[in-house]
C-alpha cells in the first residue's frame, strides 16, 4: 500500500477550486484563500466571536482590508459574503 500523497491531494483541490475565492464590491475585486493555513486557523480561533473586522482582516490581508474599509458595507453585506465564501470553499466561516 502506498502512502497518501498530501502534495498531490493539495494540487488536486487547488486545481478544482483555484487558490483564491473572489468577490466584487462596487468596482473593486477582493480575494480570500480557498484553504486556510494552520496558523491562520489558530488566529481565527483566538478572535472574539463578534470580531468581524478581525475576521475580515485575516482573510483579506491588511492591504485588501484597507480597501474594503473604504466601501460602505452593511453587516448584511458581510454576512452574505461569508455565507457565499463558506458554501463555495467549505470553510463555513461566520456560522453561529
Amino acid at each position: 500500500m502506498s502512502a497518501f500523497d498530501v502534495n498531490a491531494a493539495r494540487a488536486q483541490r487547488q486545481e478544482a477550486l483555484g487558490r483564491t475565492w473572489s468577490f466584487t464590491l462596487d468596482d473593486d475585486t477582493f480575494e480570500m484563500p480557498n484553504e486556510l493555513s494552520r496558523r491562520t486557523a489558530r488566529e481565527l480561533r483566538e478572535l472574539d466571536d463578534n470580531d468581524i473586522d478581525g475576521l475580515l482582516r485575516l482573510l483579506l490581508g491588511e492591504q485588501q482590508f484597507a480597501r474594503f474599509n473604504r466601501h460602505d458595507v452593511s453587516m448584511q453585506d458581510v454576512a452574505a459574503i461569508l455565507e457565499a465564501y463558506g458554501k463555495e470553499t467549505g470553510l463555513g466561516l461566520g456560522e453561529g
Side-chain angles (χ1 to χ4, degrees):
M1 179 183 293
S2 62
F4 177 71
D5 188 338
V6 174
N7 292 331
R10 178 185 303 135
Q12 188 174 23
R13 284 190 316 270
Q14 289 177 346
E15 183 178 324
L17 292 174
R19 287 190 168 270
T20 60
W21 179 83
S22 62
F23 67 95
T24 58
L25 176 60
D26 301 327
D27 291 328
D28 215 346
T29 300
F30 298 90
E31 293 183 342
M32 298 192 303
N34 273 329
E35 294 189 339
L36 299 181
S37 69
R38 290 178 56 234
R39 180 185 58 79
T40 301
R42 183 177 51 252
E43 290 174 3
L44 286 172
R45 283 192 309 271
E46 293 171 359
L47 290 175
D48 182 272
D49 288 344
N50 297 315
D51 189 355
I52 299 301
D53 284 345
L55 172 64
L56 291 170
R57 182 178 280 115
L58 276 174
L59 293 174
L60 292 169
E62 290 296 333
Q63 289 180 340
Q64 287 191 109
F65 182 70
R67 273 194 299 122
F68 184 81
N69 272 339
R70 290 194 287 262
H71 295 272
D72 185 20
V73 181
S74 71
M75 289 305 296
Q76 289 82 359
D77 292 335
V78 172
I81 291 166
L82 294 176
E83 181 180 346
Y85 179 66
K87 283 181 181 175
E88 293 185 35
T89 64
L91 291 173
L93 299 170
E95 297 175 353

